[in-house]
Amino acid sequence: MSLNKNMPRLIFAGLCFLALNLSAQTSGTLVMQTDQTRQTVEGFGASLAYYEGWLNAHPNKAEIYEAIFGELSLDILRVRNAYDYDPDMVGRVKEYMEAAQQSLGHPIALLSTSWGPPGYLKNTGDRSNGGSLRYTLEGGEVRFDYAGFAHWWNKSLDEYMANGIFPTYISIQNEPRWSAPYESCLLYPKETINATDTIAGYNKALDAVYDTLTSRTSRPRILGPEPLGIEYNLVQSYMNVLDHSKLDGLAHHLYHGVEENNPFASTYFTELGELHPELPHFQTEYSR
């Protein structure tokens, strides 16, 4: 298989299987051109996503930890940032990190993604059911509370650190264009204010979080924008208006833009691969 030399680095969130059907009589020579780099794989990861508590409560969790960490040798684990509304979340994450280190013999990289901030930072007062960042009207102009959102992120990292956890990566908002009935927060590519919508901009939220985290001694790397899929120019719509120098990786999900039974037929992979190839590309969530 030949891969374009300009393709970005990839990380996979999920399980991949490569099957080679060879008969006992088949023989041949495989030549590896080790001096030619086509594509660099950053790592192989998985997401505990939204139902992580099921794992902590499972009676056979020790065997599961050994399977996913010891046998699969995962490089990165994605979890939900639920600071200030789920006080047990950080304890659950600490259990995963300790289990990973015991199995792997070294700490695992951690990606913490916000499904949405607490209700007091939302214009609806509800951490679930969509909505966007809260705002005030100043001289007839809408002012979103990007500073409050960034402060919440900064405090969440303080809590992680107090428990001996140092996320390698963060993503400021899961699926920012999806108004979900669970924790969610709409952040359109840029501010959208009209007769029907008052939605904060992902680009300005990213600026605020980035600027706030620069004061930390050790800043996690930032991935984004983590939209729902790769069709409809969705990833491009975000990347085209944000300051991509503030991202350490381009992240997306895979719920549209590909047929699960024939994924290699999708032309969207090529389009995505050509988008900011200087950044590692992270596919951070997918489920049938």
Side-chain angles (χ1 to χ4, degrees):
M1 179 173 65
S2 177
L3 297 176
N4 188 307
K5 65 181 180 180
N6 293 319
M7 288 290 284
R9 292 168 285 174
L10 303 179
I11 187 161
F12 301 94
L15 302 181
C16 296
F17 297 93
L18 177 63
L20 299 178
N21 297 316
L22 302 175
S23 68
Q25 292 78 27
T26 300
S27 62
T29 301
L30 177 66
V31 178
M32 300 289 288
Q33 297 175 321
T34 56
D35 61 324
Q36 297 185 26
T37 300
R38 300 293 185 180
Q39 193 172 50
T40 300
V41 176
E42 290 284 308
F44 179 76
S47 178
L48 287 171
Y50 198 80
Y51 300 103
E52 68 281 330
W54 292 5
L55 179 53
N56 300 81
H58 200 285
N60 303 114
K61 64 182 179 181
E63 290 89 342
I64 297 173
Y65 287 147
E66 182 55 31
I68 62 177
F69 298 128
E71 295 180 26
L72 280 177
S73 299
L74 297 182
D75 299 296
I76 182 171
L77 186 67
R78 177 174 178 259
V79 297
R80 178 171 53 115
N81 179 10
Y83 173 71
D84 216 15
Y85 60 80
D86 184 347
D88 298 324
M89 182 67 199
V90 71
R92 294 197 295 270
V93 174
K94 186 174 183 178
E95 181 178 305
Y96 311 143
M97 300 298 285
E98 291 174 347
Q101 181 154 355
Q102 183 174 352
S103 293
L104 295 168
H106 59 79
I108 192 171
L110 184 72
L111 164 60
S112 178
T113 295
S114 165
W115 260 244
Y120 61 78
L121 285 171
K122 302 277 296 295
N123 60 6
T124 58
D126 181 0
R127 72 171 187 263
S128 302
N129 301 306
S132 189
L133 294 180
R134 69 183 179 184
Y135 60 87
T136 57
L137 291 174
E138 299 180 17
E141 293 189 9
V142 174
R143 304 287 186 183
F144 291 100
D145 190 10
Y146 297 114
F149 181 67
H151 178 72
W152 173 76
W153 257 109
N154 200 36
K155 293 297 291 183
S156 72
L157 293 175
D158 287 343
E159 183 183 44
Y160 274 130
M161 188 170 65
N163 284 272
I165 302 168
F166 303 88
T168 313
Y169 307 95
I170 66 167
S171 173
I172 66 170
Q173 179 57 49
N174 176 70
E175 298 173 351
R177 207 175 175 98
W178 174 244
S179 181
Y182 41 82
E183 288 98 320
S184 52
C185 182
L186 291 172
L187 295 176
Y188 285 0
K190 58 183 180 180
E191 289 182 0
T192 301
I193 303 168
N194 53 42
T196 58
D197 293 314
T198 306
I199 308 297
Y202 184 96
N203 56 348
K204 291 188 176 182
L206 174 64
D207 290 344
V209 174
Y210 180 92
D211 292 345
T212 297
L213 298 190
T214 55
S215 63
R216 301 188 68 86
T217 303
S218 179
R219 179 183 71 82
R221 285 173 264 176
I222 302 177
L223 307 182
E226 268 201 307
L228 197 61
I230 62 175
E231 202 172 358
Y232 316 115
N233 284 317
L234 188 57
V235 180
Q236 291 88 334
S237 70
Y238 280 89
M239 294 299 294
N240 288 343
V241 296
L242 60 76
D243 182 353
H244 54 83
S245 70
K246 295 179 179 178
L247 289 180
D248 299 285
L250 188 161
H252 65 87
H253 296 172
L254 205 58
Y255 293 108
H256 59 65
V258 60
E259 291 291 333
E260 65 179 31
N261 293 322
N262 189 20
F264 302 108
S266 174
T267 60
Y268 297 109
F269 284 128
T270 301
E271 294 176 9
L272 189 65
E274 294 172 349
L275 185 66
H276 292 289
E278 77 281 3
L279 292 173
H281 285 203
F282 290 72
Q283 187 266 298
T284 51
E285 188 179 323
Y286 174 67
S287 168
R288 285 175 179 262

